[in-house]
Amino acid sequence: MLDEGGVVRVAGAHDALGGVLAQESGFQAVWSSSLEVSAARCLPDASLLTMTEYLQAAANMQKALSVPVVADCDTGYGNAMNVAHMVHEYQAAGITAVSLEDKLFPKMNSFAAGGQTLLPAEEFAHKIETAKNSQQGDDFFVIARTEALISGQPVAEALDRCHRYADAGADAVLIHSKARTNSQILEFLAQWQGRRPVVVVPTTYPDWHVEDAARAGVSVVIYANQGLRATIASMRSAFRSIYQHGDSTALEDSIASVSDIFALQRLADWRKLEA
Ligand code: SPV
Ligand code: MG
């Protein structure tokens, strides 16, 4: 997809249903978000779930999709040996793209206060090298994500880290920021010189139009959690409405129909198989 040129748009999800809705809207890939997968269990995004649980979520999405899942694998669930095991397990489950981030295990979500300590760059570069050495065949994509800006380091540190990760074999770099504008990211892009495709996650600077990001040198944009946030707002208002009104009439025109659910379940296809 990256070779075809143009920007690749990715939407976050935590289950197959969210993934299918993203694909249906045109997204070229689905981000199996650690924030979403843990939030779906009402647990913090703090390395509480195990690799197996995150893999199951990603694999359930991939089974329902024709576009690739990009699995958010946090820190790789431990040291470099854990990363090797992770790559074997994810590939065996049909996942073709993973993202690893350069924080200490256990990690804390990037937007939470504290817990944003970085792993030394050479140790993370070793994890990336291990991931690439552990893959079977060519069809596997490793994104190296730096949390340098998240942890309060300057753009120069993010650049230095991403160069090391590219040297270690990363297929792309992800530069994450929790700033309210894209200025740090623009500064990064101006100096990166296209060594590897750049992935961004514009959660806190939502006004960055995809075409402007592409013009600035971004190859992949991940809308990591908007689906989950929409779900929370919409479900909360639906439940409140039903409870307050005592019936669900007021909602009927705005919620999906049961036949819509059947279509998403591909019930007709399953009926054909049975016949
Ligand atoms: C996720 O969606 O889990 C991410 C992006 O990794 S963030 O929540 O910003 O860390
Ligand atoms: Mg995450």
Side-chain angles (χ1 to χ4, degrees):
M1 269 189 257
L2 288 165
D3 289 346
E4 287 165 14
V7 63
V8 175
R9 290 197 260 179
V10 186
H14 58 270
D15 58 18
L17 178 59
V20 166
L21 293 172
Q23 176 177 293
E24 192 181 89
S25 300
F27 285 93
Q28 286 101 17
V30 170
W31 170 247
S32 175
S33 155
S34 68
L35 175 66
E36 288 215 10
V37 172
S38 46
R41 301 262 308 259
C42 284
L43 289 170
D45 179 18
S47 302
L48 295 185
L49 298 182
T50 63
M51 182 203 76
T52 309
E53 290 169 300
Y54 282 115
L55 172 54
Q56 187 172 35
N60 282 341
M61 290 183 226
Q62 189 64 81
K63 281 182 273 188
L65 295 172
S66 50
V67 298
V69 165
V70 182
D72 172 8
C73 293
D74 288 344
T75 61
Y77 311 109
N79 61 21
M81 203 186 286
N82 294 84
V83 168
H85 175 55
M86 181 215 101
V87 169
H88 292 159
E89 294 293 312
Y90 274 67
Q91 250 200 316
I95 304 294
T96 56
V98 296
S99 173
L100 294 170
E101 68 195 53
D102 60 359
K103 283 209 300 253
L104 286 186
F105 173 85
K107 71 92 201 230
M108 172 54 70
N109 181 264
S110 304
F111 298 121
Q116 307 298 333
T117 311
L118 298 177
L119 193 66
E122 57 277 15
E123 275 184 54
F124 188 70
H126 179 54
K127 278 186 172 180
I128 294 298
E129 198 178 355
T130 305
K132 290 307 292 177
N133 288 337
S134 304
Q135 76 180 56
Q136 306 280 311
D138 294 332
D139 192 15
F140 195 69
F141 197 89
V142 176
I143 300 170
R145 160 173 165 181
T146 186
E147 294 279 285
L149 302 177
I150 297 288
S151 76
Q153 297 295 311
V155 170
E157 174 71 19
L159 278 162
D160 179 59
R161 283 178 170 259
C162 287
H163 281 298
R164 285 171 188 245
Y165 306 160
D167 291 340
D171 297 297
V173 297
L174 189 161
I175 173 80
H176 200 14
S177 165
K178 58 182 172 189
R180 294 282 152 196
T181 71
N182 61 5
S183 60
Q184 286 178 308
I185 305 290
L186 289 174
E187 196 185 328
F188 177 94
L189 289 164
Q191 295 173 75
W192 177 243
Q193 296 173 335
R195 267 199 78 194
R196 288 287 193 284
V198 174
V199 185
V200 298
V201 185
T203 302
T204 55
Y205 40 101
D207 53 344
W208 203 13
H209 191 277
V210 63
E211 296 303 336
D212 294 328
R215 271 191 289 275
V218 170
S219 296
V220 182
V221 182
I222 301 178
Y223 300 92
N225 54 40
Q226 287 81 359
L228 174 67
R229 289 156 62 200
T231 302
I232 293 169
S234 155
M235 215 185 279
R236 181 176 276 148
S237 114
F239 286 147
R240 282 184 180 162
S241 164
I242 298 168
Y243 198 82
Q244 278 164 9
H245 286 92
D247 65 60
S248 64
T249 320
L251 284 177
E252 287 303 315
D253 291 340
S254 60
I255 57 179
S257 63
V258 172
S259 61
D260 195 358
I261 300 174
F262 286 173
L264 289 161
Q265 291 172 308
R266 298 175 46 246
L267 176 60
D269 293 342
W270 285 94
R271 282 253 160 87
K272 272 186 217 144
L273 288 175
E274 180 195 42

